[in-house]
Amino acid sequence: MNRPVLYHCRQARSFRVLWMLEELQLPYELHLLPFPPRAMAREYLAVNPLGTVPFFVDGDARMTESSMICHYLAQRHSQPKLCIDPDEPGHAAYLNYVSYGEATLTFPLAIQLRYTRLEPEERRLPQAAEDYRRFFAGRLKLIEQPLSEGPYLCGERFTAADISVGYALNLGRSLGLEESYTPQVRDYLARLQARPAVARAVAAEADGLPLPTDTTK
Ligand SMILES: N[C@@H](CCC(=O)N[C@@H](CS)C(=O)NCC(=O)O)C(=O)O
């Protein structure tokens, strides 16, 4: 069987998929791209017209949404089991957290990142950055209760939901927003970051390509 193929930029949302592949210990083919690929690797537009990462190929499947790729992989590979099935308690909450990590938590961070660091000085928007910092901090409420009750969002089982949310929390920390994390959220992030699969994913992406700098081109 062909190995799945992942197009990835270091530290971008495609890291979620790399992390999931390492959790499942699947063989895969990794294509590392400079950031942003639509400007720095224009031939990539023939692969993914959006120019975004991840782009994931598995047989006939073509996918561009990082959290959903993690869920897809978790459903197709049961050793270890990294999802909550429809017939198990907590399935709805699991699905909700998978999507929440991207749609609710990463979205305001992307605006923060863009208007504090990626845009050239004259296009930065301190008010937008501050508004979305508050937005992000307020939206963390949803994970505070489950993390006061168990080690992971869905209780004792580590799942794709933790990868989706964990990526966002780590990005928030790298943007200096860790002060809005409760002690339980901080411990949770440390627990996720200590996973051997994270270390393997970091090693896999460390090939010296430039870090994300400019999305305006
Ligand atoms: N919702 C998508 C977002 C994908 C996305 O926007 N990726 C960013 C990197 S974090 C990207 O490729 N940006 C480059 C660009 O917009 O040209 C996901 O979760 O994968």
Side-chain angles (χ1 to χ4, degrees):
M1 212 174 92
N2 285 341
R3 293 180 299 170
V5 179
L6 174 63
Y7 292 83
H8 169 58
C9 295
R10 281 172 65 197
Q11 300 180 2
R13 287 163 168 102
S14 41
F15 186 83
R16 287 187 175 117
V17 183
L18 192 55
W19 179 2
M20 177 54 99
L21 289 164
E22 289 292 347
E23 290 283 354
L24 292 168
Q25 304 211 33
L26 294 175
Y28 59 87
E29 192 178 311
L30 184 64
H31 289 258
L32 276 163
L33 298 164
F35 192 89
R38 71 187 140 80
M40 308 298 288
R42 294 196 60 78
E43 67 285 359
Y44 177 59
L45 293 172
V47 176
N48 175 11
L50 300 179
T52 53
V53 288
F55 189 74
F56 181 74
V57 181
D58 186 25
D60 292 338
R62 305 278 182 277
M63 298 180 76
T64 59
E65 289 294 328
S66 57
S67 296
M68 283 301 121
I69 300 167
C70 293
H71 174 54
Y72 164 87
L73 284 168
Q75 283 202 307
R76 290 175 73 90
H77 301 276
S78 55
Q79 291 296 329
K81 186 165 183 54
L82 301 183
C83 61
I84 309 284
D85 284 337
D87 57 358
E88 293 184 278
H91 172 66
Y94 159 78
L95 283 182
N96 199 60
Y97 283 126
V98 171
S99 183
Y100 158 90
E102 171 60 17
T104 296
L105 289 187
T106 308
F107 146 69
L109 294 177
I111 294 178
Q112 256 272 327
L113 178 65
R114 176 167 190 166
Y115 289 110
T116 57
R117 301 183 187 202
L118 299 180
E119 289 285 349
E121 206 72 58
E122 68 280 6
R123 296 200 75 243
R124 292 193 185 165
L125 297 173
Q127 186 63 56
E130 173 57 14
D131 288 351
Y132 281 91
R133 182 194 67 74
R134 284 168 189 264
F135 182 109
F136 171 75
R139 296 304 193 272
L140 290 168
K141 283 190 185 66
L142 202 66
I143 59 174
E144 289 167 5
Q145 196 206 333
L147 294 179
S148 67
E149 292 169 359
Y152 300 112
L153 292 172
C154 301
E156 296 297 318
R157 191 186 308 167
F158 171 84
T159 67
D162 298 298
I163 292 182
S164 179
V165 171
Y167 173 79
L169 292 176
N170 199 44
L171 178 60
R173 183 175 63 176
S174 76
L175 293 171
L177 307 184
E178 202 180 8
E179 63 191 24
S180 30
Y181 298 177
T182 61
Q184 283 97 342
V185 171
R186 285 173 202 229
D187 289 351
Y188 168 66
L189 179 55
R191 202 153 52 242
L192 295 182
Q193 291 298 113
R195 294 181 72 82
V198 170
R200 291 196 298 271
V202 168
E205 71 171 6
D207 85 328
L209 279 170
L211 289 170
T213 49
D214 182 1
T215 56
T216 60
K217 295 185 186 98

